[in-house]
Each structure stands twice: as structure tokens, then as C-alpha cells.
Amino acid sequence: MSWDERQRAMLAEMGFRLPARAVEAVAADEPDVAVIERPPVAAPAPVISRPTVAAPAPRIAPALPTTFTDLDTPALREAVATCRACGLCEQRRNAVYGNGAVQRAQWLVVTDPPDDADDAAGQAMGGDAGRLLDRMLLAAGQRRTGDQPTAFVTPIVKCRPPRGRAPQPAELDACEAVLARQVALLQPRLVLALGMQAARRLTGLAEPLGKLRGRVHAWRGLPLVVTYHPAYLLRSPADKAGAWDDLCLARASAES
Ligand code: SF4
């Protein structure tokens, strides 16, 4: 992996400083991510296993309801805005379809459910957490804004659960039909799950987030990598080192 000025700047904004050896490698156009030394962190660095695809998740994906299967992007956006396929429609202010790449996406970023600000704005991942996410994506060579966005960011359920509770299985089942249609339209090379609820749903595994990180899962035939939610990283900056490991794993998986 080579590092351009923007990526190095984004890494710095994430709280990283490339060591001198890595900078020399950049100057020599040395492409190996392994030369990047991580900065010292308070917690011991986790052992990251390289991209070995885990066994398929045991969960059986629900069949898609016919209401979404044939829709193009504008029609799907409109359908989501007025969707009443599960009870989460009752208290939402706005459904959050997602934003980023318009037609094809290299990365599909699936987050935990919308928070109060997302629900008010109808936009995915705004505020400080959204800005950190954008810097993380840029550091990994992706972008969800600008002239040519390459990543699309969307929540695991499009409507905010009341009082921020976890979505129930029936609600997740209903909204996975929307997510599956988004995948069909965007045709991403990789799925990145941000946060516990997105990670557990997509992996089908009820394990702590720490145990879901560091390996490549499979979801609907796509490589799936799990990492921390940016809102968590704002509260726990020491874990940015682990998030960077996850982004490197995601990038390697998308390119393999
Ligand atoms: S959460 Fe998803 S399935 Fe449920 S009403 Fe909102 S858009 Fe429809």
C-alpha cells in the first residue's frame, strides 16, 4: 500500500504519526503496509489474523419481499422514506437511507442504527463521529463525499429505534431487505460493519465486538470486516490503533 499526502494527513488526524521508516518507504514508493509501525498505545496491540474467510454465518438470510427487489436507486430511496414494513416507522422522524457513492461503491459501510441527530436530519453518520469516519475512510483510500465518492454509508436499520434501544430481530429482518437491495444496486467489493449491532447482525454471531474483529467474515458472498463505531473511538481514542488494523485488513480483503 502506498501512502499519498492526503492519506498521511488523514492518519495524523486519526491520531497516528507515520514513523520515519514508513516515511522513507513512501519516498521509495514501497508498497507494503507491513512497514507501517503503529504508534504506542495504552492497551496491548491485538493479534490480527490475515484474511482467512470465516465459515459462513449460521443465520439464514430472510427472503426479500417483492416490494424492494425491482426498485432502482431513486425508487428505493422513495420507498424507504415512506416504508412501513416494521414497527420502527411509528416513531421515526426521517428514515436514513444512507449517503456516498451514487451508482457503484467499492466499500459498503454498514453502521449501527441511526442516532437522534441522524433521525432528525435523515442523514447517516453526521457530527463528530461522521467526520472521524470520513477521515478513516480517506486514510484507507475511500471517500463518501466529493466528486467521486467510492464508499456508501448506511445504517443496519433505516429508522431509529425508540429511545435508542437495540433493534429487534423482526425489525432487522424487515430492513435487511432494503440493505440487500442496496447491495444489488451498489455492487460493493467489501462490507465494513461499524459497531456491535451492525457487526452481530451481519456476522450472525452474538460475540463481543473484540472477537468479531481481526478476521474476514462473509455476508451475501462479500468479504465482511468488523471495526469500532467512530462514536466509540471518540470516547476511546486508544482503540484507534485497532481500528487502523481493521481498515488495513478491509483494504487488503477488497483488493484480493
Ligand atoms: S426500519 Fe427499515 S423496514 Fe422498518 S420501517 Fe424503517 S425502512 Fe422500513
Side-chain angles (χ1 to χ4, degrees):
M1 183 186 302
S2 63
W3 305 96
D4 61 21
E5 291 295 336
R6 178 184 296 275
Q7 286 173 295
R8 292 202 298 279
M10 291 306 106
L11 274 173
E13 289 195 45
M14 281 182 66
F16 290 99
R17 296 290 184 276
L18 291 182
R21 189 157 62 88
V23 174
E24 290 166 6
V26 170
D29 198 23
E30 190 171 309
D32 188 355
V33 298
V35 303
I36 305 298
E37 293 177 355
R38 292 184 309 178
V41 295
V47 176
I48 304 299
S49 60
R50 281 295 141 191
T52 50
V53 176
R59 178 174 52 79
I60 304 299
L64 295 185
T66 54
T67 47
F68 299 125
T69 48
D70 296 324
L71 301 183
D72 62 14
T73 298
L76 185 62
R77 277 186 180 275
E78 193 172 325
V80 167
T82 57
C83 180
R84 302 190 65 80
C86 81
L88 294 183
C89 67
E90 299 294 340
Q91 296 186 48
R92 73 173 177 226
R93 286 174 286 182
N94 296 287
V96 178
Y97 181 84
N99 50 46
V102 177
Q103 294 182 326
R104 297 285 180 88
Q106 294 181 28
W107 287 21
L108 176 65
V109 182
V110 181
T111 73
D112 279 352
D115 64 14
D116 187 61
D118 298 339
D119 176 59
Q123 296 291 324
M125 292 288 294
D128 290 343
R131 282 186 282 278
L132 176 56
L133 172 61
D134 289 338
R135 290 195 292 270
M136 292 166 64
L137 290 173
L138 283 170
Q142 300 292 312
R143 59 177 67 235
R144 70 161 168 166
T145 58
D147 293 338
Q148 294 182 314
T150 58
F152 191 85
V153 180
T154 188
I156 189 75
V157 291
K158 313 310 181 197
C159 303
R160 174 172 164 78
R163 298 173 298 284
R165 66 161 169 79
Q168 297 172 353
E171 295 160 351
L172 289 160
D173 286 348
C175 216
E176 187 164 327
V178 178
L179 187 60
R181 186 61 189 154
Q182 289 178 307
V183 168
L185 291 166
L186 292 165
Q187 299 184 31
R189 293 178 58 85
L190 172 102
V191 179
L192 181 69
L194 297 183
M196 173 77 81
Q197 294 172 55
R200 285 186 167 179
R201 174 64 186 187
L202 296 184
T203 62
L205 300 172
E207 295 181 4
L209 189 73
K211 289 194 173 183
L212 298 176
R213 295 180 44 246
R215 52 183 160 142
V216 181
H217 305 267
W219 181 73
R220 292 186 179 267
L222 294 168
L224 165 68
V225 173
V226 168
T227 193
Y228 301 109
H229 194 285
Y232 167 81
L233 291 174
L234 290 173
R235 300 189 302 271
S236 305
D239 281 326
K240 286 181 179 177
W244 179 237
D245 285 336
D246 298 334
L247 293 175
C248 290
L249 177 59
R251 181 164 173 163
S253 301
E255 291 175 351
S256 63

PDB file of all heavy atoms in Angstrom, residues 156-174:
ATOM      1  N   ILE A 156     -27.821  -0.199   9.675  1.00  0.00           N
ATOM      2  CA  ILE A 156     -28.335  -1.566   9.586  1.00  0.00           C
ATOM      3  C   ILE A 156     -29.864  -1.578   9.557  1.00  0.00           C
ATOM      4  O   ILE A 156     -30.461  -2.437   8.918  1.00  0.00           O
ATOM      5  CB  ILE A 156     -27.780  -2.417  10.762  1.00  0.00           C
ATOM      6  CG1 ILE A 156     -28.115  -3.884  10.585  1.00  0.00           C
ATOM      7  CG2 ILE A 156     -28.266  -1.897  12.110  1.00  0.00           C
ATOM      8  CD1 ILE A 156     -27.300  -4.581   9.549  1.00  0.00           C
ATOM      9  N   VAL A 157     -30.504  -0.659  10.260  1.00  0.00           N
ATOM     10  CA  VAL A 157     -31.937  -0.379  10.078  1.00  0.00           C
ATOM     11  C   VAL A 157     -32.060   1.108   9.786  1.00  0.00           C
ATOM     12  O   VAL A 157     -31.309   1.917  10.320  1.00  0.00           O
ATOM     13  CB  VAL A 157     -32.808  -0.762  11.306  1.00  0.00           C
ATOM     14  CG1 VAL A 157     -32.874  -2.263  11.485  1.00  0.00           C
ATOM     15  CG2 VAL A 157     -32.304  -0.083  12.573  1.00  0.00           C
ATOM     16  N   LYS A 158     -32.985   1.449   8.924  1.00  0.00           N
ATOM     17  CA  LYS A 158     -33.057   2.828   8.423  1.00  0.00           C
ATOM     18  C   LYS A 158     -33.825   3.763   9.347  1.00  0.00           C
ATOM     19  O   LYS A 158     -33.781   4.985   9.146  1.00  0.00           O
ATOM     20  CB  LYS A 158     -33.693   2.862   7.031  1.00  0.00           C
ATOM     21  CG  LYS A 158     -33.146   1.833   6.039  1.00  0.00           C
ATOM     22  CD  LYS A 158     -31.634   1.821   5.962  1.00  0.00           C
ATOM     23  CE  LYS A 158     -31.150   0.801   4.937  1.00  0.00           C
ATOM     24  NZ  LYS A 158     -29.735   0.463   5.100  1.00  0.00           N
ATOM     25  N   CYS A 159     -34.543   3.220  10.301  1.00  0.00           N
ATOM     26  CA  CYS A 159     -35.323   4.065  11.207  1.00  0.00           C
ATOM     27  C   CYS A 159     -34.813   3.880  12.637  1.00  0.00           C
ATOM     28  O   CYS A 159     -34.488   2.754  13.052  1.00  0.00           O
ATOM     29  CB  CYS A 159     -36.806   3.687  11.140  1.00  0.00           C
ATOM     30  SG  CYS A 159     -37.468   3.795   9.457  1.00  0.00           S
ATOM     31  N   ARG A 160     -34.755   4.976  13.381  1.00  0.00           N
ATOM     32  CA  ARG A 160     -34.206   4.950  14.740  1.00  0.00           C
ATOM     33  C   ARG A 160     -35.141   4.197  15.680  1.00  0.00           C
ATOM     34  O   ARG A 160     -36.327   4.550  15.801  1.00  0.00           O
ATOM     35  CB  ARG A 160     -34.015   6.373  15.242  1.00  0.00           C
ATOM     36  CG  ARG A 160     -33.593   6.462  16.706  1.00  0.00           C
ATOM     37  CD  ARG A 160     -33.245   7.890  17.066  1.00  0.00           C
ATOM     38  NE  ARG A 160     -33.196   8.121  18.486  1.00  0.00           N
ATOM     39  CZ  ARG A 160     -32.179   7.761  19.282  1.00  0.00           C
ATOM     40  NH1 ARG A 160     -31.152   7.144  18.764  1.00  0.00           N
ATOM     41  NH2 ARG A 160     -32.201   8.023  20.569  1.00  0.00           N
ATOM     42  N   PRO A 161     -34.644   3.183  16.366  1.00  0.00           N
ATOM     43  CA  PRO A 161     -35.475   2.519  17.387  1.00  0.00           C
ATOM     44  C   PRO A 161     -35.794   3.492  18.520  1.00  0.00           C
ATOM     45  O   PRO A 161     -34.964   4.345  18.872  1.00  0.00           O
ATOM     46  CB  PRO A 161     -34.585   1.367  17.869  1.00  0.00           C
ATOM     47  CG  PRO A 161     -33.622   1.123  16.755  1.00  0.00           C
ATOM     48  CD  PRO A 161     -33.360   2.489  16.174  1.00  0.00           C
ATOM     49  N   PRO A 162     -36.971   3.381  19.117  1.00  0.00           N
ATOM     50  CA  PRO A 162     -37.363   4.298  20.192  1.00  0.00           C
ATOM     51  C   PRO A 162     -36.339   4.298  21.324  1.00  0.00           C
ATOM     52  O   PRO A 162     -35.858   3.246  21.752  1.00  0.00           O
ATOM     53  CB  PRO A 162     -38.705   3.714  20.662  1.00  0.00           C
ATOM     54  CG  PRO A 162     -39.223   2.954  19.489  1.00  0.00           C
ATOM     55  CD  PRO A 162     -38.022   2.406  18.793  1.00  0.00           C
ATOM     56  N   ARG A 163     -36.015   5.498  21.799  1.00  0.00           N
ATOM     57  CA  ARG A 163     -35.074   5.701  22.906  1.00  0.00           C
ATOM     58  C   ARG A 163     -33.728   5.023  22.659  1.00  0.00           C
ATOM     59  O   ARG A 163     -32.992   4.717  23.582  1.00  0.00           O
ATOM     60  CB  ARG A 163     -35.678   5.215  24.234  1.00  0.00           C
ATOM     61  CG  ARG A 163     -36.950   5.975  24.630  1.00  0.00           C
ATOM     62  CD  ARG A 163     -37.623   5.386  25.839  1.00  0.00           C
ATOM     63  NE  ARG A 163     -38.069   4.015  25.611  1.00  0.00           N
ATOM     64  CZ  ARG A 163     -39.142   3.703  24.910  1.00  0.00           C
ATOM     65  NH1 ARG A 163     -39.896   4.650  24.373  1.00  0.00           N
ATOM     66  NH2 ARG A 163     -39.467   2.437  24.745  1.00  0.00           N
ATOM     67  N   GLY A 164     -33.416   4.761  21.412  1.00  0.00           N
ATOM     68  CA  GLY A 164     -32.106   4.206  21.077  1.00  0.00           C
ATOM     69  C   GLY A 164     -31.919   2.753  21.449  1.00  0.00           C
ATOM     70  O   GLY A 164     -30.786   2.260  21.494  1.00  0.00           O
ATOM     71  N   ARG A 165     -33.015   2.034  21.689  1.00  0.00           N
ATOM     72  CA  ARG A 165     -32.883   0.613  22.040  1.00  0.00           C
ATOM     73  C   ARG A 165     -32.326  -0.164  20.845  1.00  0.00           C
ATOM     74  O   ARG A 165     -32.319   0.323  19.709  1.00  0.00           O
ATOM     75  CB  ARG A 165     -34.239   0.037  22.448  1.00  0.00           C
ATOM     76  CG  ARG A 165     -35.266  -0.022  21.317  1.00  0.00           C
ATOM     77  CD  ARG A 165     -36.387  -1.005  21.647  1.00  0.00           C
ATOM     78  NE  ARG A 165     -37.501  -0.908  20.719  1.00  0.00           N
ATOM     79  CZ  ARG A 165     -37.521  -1.446  19.510  1.00  0.00           C
ATOM     80  NH1 ARG A 165     -36.447  -2.086  19.044  1.00  0.00           N
ATOM     81  NH2 ARG A 165     -38.583  -1.322  18.737  1.00  0.00           N
ATOM     82  N   ALA A 166     -31.892  -1.397  21.121  1.00  0.00           N
ATOM     83  CA  ALA A 166     -31.416  -2.242  20.027  1.00  0.00           C
ATOM     84  C   ALA A 166     -32.588  -2.684  19.161  1.00  0.00           C
ATOM     85  O   ALA A 166     -33.685  -2.944  19.683  1.00  0.00           O
ATOM     86  CB  ALA A 166     -30.710  -3.470  20.595  1.00  0.00           C
ATOM     87  N   PRO A 167     -32.406  -2.749  17.856  1.00  0.00           N
ATOM     88  CA  PRO A 167     -33.498  -3.243  17.011  1.00  0.00           C
ATOM     89  C   PRO A 167     -33.786  -4.713  17.287  1.00  0.00           C
ATOM     90  O   PRO A 167     -32.878  -5.489  17.624  1.00  0.00           O
ATOM     91  CB  PRO A 167     -32.959  -3.043  15.586  1.00  0.00           C
ATOM     92  CG  PRO A 167     -31.488  -2.917  15.725  1.00  0.00           C
ATOM     93  CD  PRO A 167     -31.221  -2.374  17.080  1.00  0.00           C
ATOM     94  N   GLN A 168     -35.051  -5.081  17.160  1.00  0.00           N
ATOM     95  CA  GLN A 168     -35.461  -6.455  17.409  1.00  0.00           C
ATOM     96  C   GLN A 168     -35.258  -7.299  16.152  1.00  0.00           C
ATOM     97  O   GLN A 168     -35.191  -6.764  15.035  1.00  0.00           O
ATOM     98  CB  GLN A 168     -36.932  -6.471  17.852  1.00  0.00           C
ATOM     99  CG  GLN A 168     -37.142  -5.724  19.166  1.00  0.00           C
ATOM    100  CD  GLN A 168     -38.605  -5.555  19.532  1.00  0.00           C
ATOM    101  OE1 GLN A 168     -39.493  -5.888  18.732  1.00  0.00           O
ATOM    102  NE2 GLN A 168     -38.847  -5.034  20.723  1.00  0.00           N
ATOM    103  N   PRO A 169     -35.182  -8.630  16.321  1.00  0.00           N
ATOM    104  CA  PRO A 169     -34.922  -9.485  15.157  1.00  0.00           C
ATOM    105  C   PRO A 169     -35.887  -9.261  13.995  1.00  0.00           C
ATOM    106  O   PRO A 169     -35.463  -9.229  12.827  1.00  0.00           O
ATOM    107  CB  PRO A 169     -35.049 -10.896  15.739  1.00  0.00           C
ATOM    108  CG  PRO A 169     -34.632 -10.742  17.172  1.00  0.00           C
ATOM    109  CD  PRO A 169     -35.154  -9.398  17.594  1.00  0.00           C
ATOM    110  N   ALA A 170     -37.182  -9.105  14.287  1.00  0.00           N
ATOM    111  CA  ALA A 170     -38.143  -8.913  13.195  1.00  0.00           C
ATOM    112  C   ALA A 170     -37.876  -7.598  12.458  1.00  0.00           C
ATOM    113  O   ALA A 170     -38.072  -7.502  11.234  1.00  0.00           O
ATOM    114  CB  ALA A 170     -39.563  -8.931  13.742  1.00  0.00           C
ATOM    115  N   GLU A 171     -37.423  -6.583  13.201  1.00  0.00           N
ATOM    116  CA  GLU A 171     -37.117  -5.290  12.576  1.00  0.00           C
ATOM    117  C   GLU A 171     -35.863  -5.409  11.707  1.00  0.00           C
ATOM    118  O   GLU A 171     -35.800  -4.859  10.599  1.00  0.00           O
ATOM    119  CB  GLU A 171     -36.945  -4.234  13.665  1.00  0.00           C
ATOM    120  CG  GLU A 171     -38.240  -3.976  14.455  1.00  0.00           C
ATOM    121  CD  GLU A 171     -38.021  -3.333  15.814  1.00  0.00           C
ATOM    122  OE1 GLU A 171     -36.856  -3.225  16.271  1.00  0.00           O
ATOM    123  OE2 GLU A 171     -39.026  -2.936  16.430  1.00  0.00           O
ATOM    124  N   LEU A 172     -34.879  -6.146  12.216  1.00  0.00           N
ATOM    125  CA  LEU A 172     -33.659  -6.367  11.431  1.00  0.00           C
ATOM    126  C   LEU A 172     -33.963  -7.181  10.178  1.00  0.00           C
ATOM    127  O   LEU A 172     -33.440  -6.893   9.085  1.00  0.00           O
ATOM    128  CB  LEU A 172     -32.621  -7.079  12.295  1.00  0.00           C
ATOM    129  CG  LEU A 172     -32.001  -6.224  13.411  1.00  0.00           C
ATOM    130  CD1 LEU A 172     -31.381  -7.106  14.481  1.00  0.00           C
ATOM    131  CD2 LEU A 172     -30.965  -5.272  12.830  1.00  0.00           C
ATOM    132  N   ASP A 173     -34.812  -8.189  10.324  1.00  0.00           N
ATOM    133  CA  ASP A 173     -35.194  -8.993   9.157  1.00  0.00           C
ATOM    134  C   ASP A 173     -35.869  -8.126   8.105  1.00  0.00           C
ATOM    135  O   ASP A 173     -35.561  -8.216   6.914  1.00  0.00           O
ATOM    136  CB  ASP A 173     -36.155 -10.114   9.574  1.00  0.00           C
ATOM    137  CG  ASP A 173     -35.455 -11.232  10.323  1.00  0.00           C
ATOM    138  OD1 ASP A 173     -34.208 -11.267  10.322  1.00  0.00           O
ATOM    139  OD2 ASP A 173     -36.168 -12.068  10.908  1.00  0.00           O
ATOM    140  N   ALA A 174     -36.811  -7.297   8.545  1.00  0.00           N
ATOM    141  CA  ALA A 174     -37.550  -6.464   7.596  1.00  0.00           C
ATOM    142  C   ALA A 174     -36.619  -5.522   6.859  1.00  0.00           C
ATOM    143  O   ALA A 174     -36.705  -5.352   5.641  1.00  0.00           O
ATOM    144  CB  ALA A 174     -38.639  -5.677   8.332  1.00  0.00           C
TER     145      ALA A 174
END
